[in-house]
């Protein structure tokens, strides 16, 4: 795992690695509204050598970011988002059910589906990273306020069976 500060070109990022796959979550600003969100980049690999030229990249929308945060925090078990990319043919599913094999981020595109299983500690860093991105969109909220707001609005507003 590697946390990287922003530079003049790219926002801060969180990189996670497995022998066959790498995941990067990067802080970005949306093109249209200049709002804070994250990009998800996932690259296949072999023996810790990753093919970043054939990575799949998607931007988490502002409507999706609260659901991603709630899933990473364990407030909801999963969230699925489709119709990303120019051709609306990419998407992702994030699951955090609790068992080790049920903490997964999968990204799908015409090239196939890539899976990244994450540990509880990696989930902690992913949640903190995504919460920070969401928090930047609000001037007067603390992180505690944001988490309470997520619980009282997003979680309460979802059907009990997801």
């Amino acid at each position: 795992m590697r946390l990287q500060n922003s530079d003049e070109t790219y926002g801060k990022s969180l990189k996670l690695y497995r022998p066959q796959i790498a995941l990067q979550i990067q802080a970005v600003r949306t093109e249209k509204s200049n709002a804070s969100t994250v990009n998800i980049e996932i690259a296949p690999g072999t023996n810790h050598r990753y093919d970043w030229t054939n990575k799949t990249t998607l931007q988490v929308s502002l409507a999706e970011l609260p659901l991603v945060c709630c899933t990473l925090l364990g407030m909801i078990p999963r969230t699925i988002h489709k119709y990303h990319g120019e051709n609306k043919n990419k998407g992702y599913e994030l699951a955090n059910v609790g068992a080790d094999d049920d903490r997964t981020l999968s990204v799908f595109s015409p090239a196939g589906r890539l899976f990244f299983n994450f540990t509880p500690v990696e989930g902690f860093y992913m949640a903190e990273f995504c919460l920070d991105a969401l928090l930047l969109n609000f001037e007067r909220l603390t992180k505690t306020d944001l988490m309470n707001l997520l619980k009282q609005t997003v979680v309460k507003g979802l059907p009990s069976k997801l």
Side-chain angles (χ1 to χ4, degrees), residues 95-112:
N96 185 7
V97 180
D100 284 341
D101 57 345
D102 288 333
R103 281 189 202 93
T104 305
L105 173 62
S106 67
V107 175
F108 44 92
S109 70

Side-chain angles (χ1 to χ4, degrees), residues 67-129:
L67 293 163
V68 167
C69 289
C70 286
T71 305
L72 289 167
L73 290 167
M75 294 176 177
I76 59 175
R78 70 183 71 251
T79 188
I80 302 170
H81 303 283
K82 303 175 183 176
Y83 311 113
H84 282 262
E86 287 180 19
N87 297 319
K88 308 289 185 215
N89 59 357
K90 297 192 282 186
Y92 64 98
E93 178 177 4
L94 179 64
N96 185 7
V97 180
D100 284 341
D101 57 345
D102 288 333
R103 281 189 202 93
T104 305
L105 173 62
S106 67
V107 175
F108 44 92
S109 70
R113 194 172 194 127
L114 296 172
F115 294 88
F116 190 93
N117 290 350
F118 55 93
T119 67
V121 171
E122 290 167 333
F124 167 85
Y125 283 99
M126 293 166 67
E128 196 279 332
F129 196 92

